């Protein structure tokens, strides 16, 4: 299975998103080296790949946190205990990765 973080230029959550995803993959017994990073830099590219905001987390080409937001170069927010956050919790990302891994077997 392939794993990818998609971001936009200048996103303050890009680096933390990559580290979070690598840590989650490692915690799930998966190779963090499977993770790639793709920077989405134009509205046309965002529309072509249905990019729903930065950062986005994908497994096997599917968004781990499906969204109905319009595709475009924007920030993305995730539910958190205290409201909204620029990153999902490690627990929610681990659950999403586990769900994807279970459905691929």
């Amino acid at each position: 299975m392939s794993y990818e973080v998609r971001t936009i230029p200048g996103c303050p959550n890009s680096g933390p998103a990559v580290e979070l995803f690598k840590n989650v993959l490692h915690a799930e017994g998966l190779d963090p080296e499977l993770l790639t990073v793709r920077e989405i830099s134009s509205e046309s590219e965002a529309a072509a790949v249905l990019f729903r905001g930065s950062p986005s987390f994908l497994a096997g080409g599917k968004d781990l946190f499906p969204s109905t937001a319009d595709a475009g170069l924007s920030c993305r927010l995730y539910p958190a205990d205290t409201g909204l956050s620029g990153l999902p919790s490690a627990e929610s990302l681990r659950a999403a990765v586990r769900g994807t891994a279970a459905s691929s077997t």
Side-chain angles (χ1 to χ4, degrees), residues 55-79:
S56 290
F57 300 83
L58 290 86
K62 294 184 180 182
D63 197 318
L64 291 174
F65 299 93
S67 171
T68 58
D70 291 338
L73 299 179
S74 62
C75 294
R76 188 163 184 174
L77 296 174
Y78 296 88

Side-chain angles (χ1 to χ4, degrees), residues 18-37:
V18 170
E19 288 307 308
L20 173 64
F21 211 170
K22 283 183 176 182
N23 290 338
V24 163
L25 291 173
H26 178 74
E28 290 299 312
L30 301 166
D31 184 358
E33 296 302 314
L34 295 172
L35 181 65
T36 60
V37 179

Side-chain angles (χ1 to χ4, degrees), residues 3 6 9 11 14 22 25 29 35 39 43-45 47-49 54 66 70 73-76 78 88 91 97 100 103:
Y3 298 93
R6 292 181 181 169
C11 176
S14 295
K22 283 183 176 182
L25 291 173
L35 181 65
E39 190 171 83
E43 290 291 343
S44 60
E45 183 181 12
V49 299
S54 180
D70 291 338
L73 299 179
S74 62
C75 294
R76 188 163 184 174
Y78 296 88
E91 296 80 20
V97 167
T100 303
S103 68

Side-chain angles (χ1 to χ4, degrees), residues 1 4 8 32 35 41 48 51 71 82 92 102:
M1 170 110 27
E4 183 176 58
I8 58 174
L35 181 65
S41 58
F51 178 69
T82 59
S92 65

